[in-house]
Every structure is written in structure tokens, then in C-alpha cells.
Amino acid sequence: MRTGGIGGVIILIWLIIGAVAAGQRGYFNSSNDNCAKAGTTVVTVLAGPLNYLGVNPKVNCKVPQPSQ
């Protein structure tokens, strides 16, 4: 039984579909200069085919600033 191999292929296809969706949204065209853009790109890739079912994940994050 090679269920591990089949599962790995399914996960790989899932992530490829997510990367295609992120590319179509233009997330790879600009630099990810803050955590919100980078996080949104990562979550979009992880959402995979769900992007084509209407899921549009967004990440909002604020990095704490050092005290003065």
C-alpha cells in the first residue's frame, strides 16, 4: 500500500493550485515588504482550490514597534 505517496501527490497538487491562484491575483509580482502581504500570499497558497470556490483569504498583522 502506498497511501503516503498518494497523499503526498494530493498535497503537492493542492499547493500548486494555490500557487497558481496567488499568481493570478498578482501576489508574486510585487515584493512582500510587510507581514500582511506575505501572510496573504502564504494563506492563498495553502487554501489551494478553495480560492476558486470564492475563498479570498486576507491576513492583517501589525508588528509591534520597539519602545523608545
Side-chain angles (χ1 to χ4, degrees), residues 31-43 58-65:
S31 65
N32 293 329
D33 56 357
N34 63 33
C35 70
K37 288 181 182 178
T40 299
T41 302
V42 169
V43 173
K58 299 283 183 186
V59 174
N60 293 322
C61 58
K62 295 182 181 182
V63 178
Q65 298 298 317

Side-chain angles (χ1 to χ4, degrees), residues 7-21 43-53:
V9 169
I10 290 172
I11 291 172
L12 181 64
I13 292 170
W14 183 278
L15 294 175
I16 289 171
I17 293 171
V20 169
V43 173
T44 300
V45 171
L46 292 176
L50 298 176
N51 289 292
Y52 296 105
L53 297 176

